[in-house]
Amino acid sequence: MTESSVEFEHIPVLSREAIAHLQVREGGLYLDATLGGGGHSGLILAVAPDVRLVGIDRDDWAIQAARSRLEGDRVTFWQGNFAEYDPRGQEFDGILADLGVSSPQFDQGDRGFSFQTEAPLDMRMDRRQELTAADLINHYDEAQLADIFYHYGEERLSRRIARRIVERRPFTTTTALADAIASSVPRKYRYGRIHPATRVFQALRIAVNEELSSLEKLIDVAPTWLKPGGRIGIISFHSLEDRIVKHRFRNSPLLQVITKKPIIAQPDEIQENRRSRSAKLRFAEKIKKG
């Protein structure tokens, strides 16, 4: 499926909890660092008619979808990596980031995020970027690939899988790569609870988009964008992200942790949106001067 056949309808996870902890105030200025289809942004703007917002996303498709949903002069859009954003002196009352890949991106086969359909090995969030998953798979050496699979996918058979990939490359499609990965693991692993390519595809996506290093940079710089008393909330979907958020919030000299334990989805939300099962939300507040 292409963009023309997939509507960018993304259900925002932990929306009740995120808006409540963000403490949106009248006349406030907020930053949605992962705009997606504009779900969280729409809820922020709905709090009061004079709330303003800056929305960031790497994906031009997401920006287009959000523009059509969030019409009006209260929203400013910026396409790019949130870690590279320059607020040009603006200070925000709150910042929210919902990490990971949205459901429409997975459903849009030609983006290459999923191996459920045959597609080019792409995985770029920002299609202006040159590096693709195919570049990594076909040009990195065996040790580099094994490191990526182990560190970003927590794949315990990383060396075995990397060896098989190097033996069989070049690869051009998601399904061919997934088949090679499946053929490299023991039978009981091949037919386990999750497909053996799942962790490798996660690792490739993280590596292509530099997701973890970008998250680290965001948490380091974002507190300087907040007004004193302003809050930052980050929704993560796997342990690698959550670990970074937890430790960077705790160790920041500018932030006070609001959520000692991560907020997770309630049963009613999980029933409505299965993606919320793995979501974890953490909040911190910029320390007030004096």
Side-chain angles (χ1 to χ4, degrees):
M1 289 185 287
T2 63
E3 288 176 21
S4 59
S5 60
V6 179
E7 188 175 356
F8 205 114
E9 277 296 330
H10 176 55
I11 303 173
V13 301
L14 295 170
S15 57
R16 295 172 299 197
E17 296 83 353
I19 300 304
H21 280 77
L22 201 57
Q23 296 185 337
V24 180
R25 64 193 70 174
E26 293 183 4
L29 175 63
Y30 294 86
L31 173 64
D32 186 343
T34 50
L35 188 59
H40 284 116
S41 290
L43 294 172
I44 292 170
L45 291 167
V47 171
D50 56 354
V51 169
R52 294 174 298 121
L53 182 136
V54 175
I56 296 175
D57 207 286
R58 291 170 128 183
D59 192 336
D60 59 317
W61 182 33
I63 293 280
Q64 292 170 14
R67 280 186 188 277
S68 63
R69 179 174 184 173
L70 307 172
E71 294 180 354
D73 58 3
R74 292 195 289 154
V75 185
T76 302
F77 299 94
W78 188 82
Q79 184 186 352
N81 185 336
F82 51 49
E84 298 171 356
Y85 176 67
D86 180 1
R88 300 184 182 277
Q90 289 186 115
E91 287 189 324
F92 297 97
D93 294 280
I95 298 171
L96 185 64
D98 176 359
L99 307 175
V101 182
S102 64
S103 299
Q105 289 169 320
F106 272 119
D107 294 340
Q108 186 191 344
D110 62 351
R111 299 295 293 273
F113 289 114
S114 170
F115 49 83
Q116 299 301 320
T117 57
E118 186 176 47
L121 277 169
D122 192 323
M123 299 194 190
R124 293 171 298 169
M125 297 283 194
D126 186 339
R127 287 175 284 191
R128 300 172 300 183
Q129 172 184 308
E130 291 186 6
L131 183 71
T132 68
D135 294 326
L136 296 187
I137 284 295
N138 293 320
H139 299 294
Y140 277 33
D141 65 33
E142 184 177 318
Q144 288 175 306
L145 290 175
D147 282 347
I148 288 172
F149 303 158
Y150 182 78
H151 292 296
Y152 295 159
E154 299 180 298
E155 174 53 70
R156 62 185 181 86
L157 298 179
S158 59
R159 293 182 181 179
R160 186 170 181 165
I161 293 170
R163 189 179 311 120
R164 177 59 58 88
I165 287 172
V166 170
E167 289 172 353
R168 292 195 176 182
R169 66 188 186 189
F171 292 93
T172 59
T173 66
T174 54
T175 49
L177 177 61
D179 289 344
I181 294 168
S183 71
S184 71
V185 302
R187 183 178 179 84
K188 64 177 182 178
Y189 195 72
R190 197 178 311 164
Y191 298 106
R193 185 173 59 86
I194 65 169
H195 192 284
T198 301
R199 295 186 182 92
V200 171
F201 270 63
Q202 172 187 294
L204 284 172
R205 192 201 76 224
I206 289 173
V208 167
N209 297 288
E210 299 182 323
E211 292 179 25
L212 299 187
S213 60
S214 295
L215 175 58
E216 291 172 343
K217 185 177 178 183
L218 174 69
I219 300 175
D220 286 346
V221 70
T224 67
W225 302 345
L226 283 169
K227 296 176 183 177
R231 291 188 168 189
I232 177 171
I234 298 181
I235 302 171
S236 62
F237 289 88
H238 54 75
S239 60
L240 297 174
E241 293 172 336
D242 183 58
R243 200 175 301 134
I244 290 172
V245 177
K246 176 183 177 181
H247 292 296
R248 296 264 168 167
F249 274 6
R250 187 175 62 193
N251 296 330
S252 171
L254 298 177
L255 295 175
Q256 177 180 350
V257 174
I258 300 299
T259 50
K260 302 299 182 184
K261 293 184 178 180
I263 299 168
I264 59 175
Q266 297 302 302
D268 63 324
E269 180 175 4
I270 293 173
Q271 186 174 3
E272 182 180 335
N273 180 13
R274 292 189 63 194
R275 181 173 179 262
S276 67
R277 289 179 302 172
S278 57
K280 292 182 177 181
L281 169 62
R282 294 184 186 270
F283 260 94
E285 183 175 290
K286 185 168 183 178
I287 297 171
K288 296 179 182 178
K289 300 175 183 178

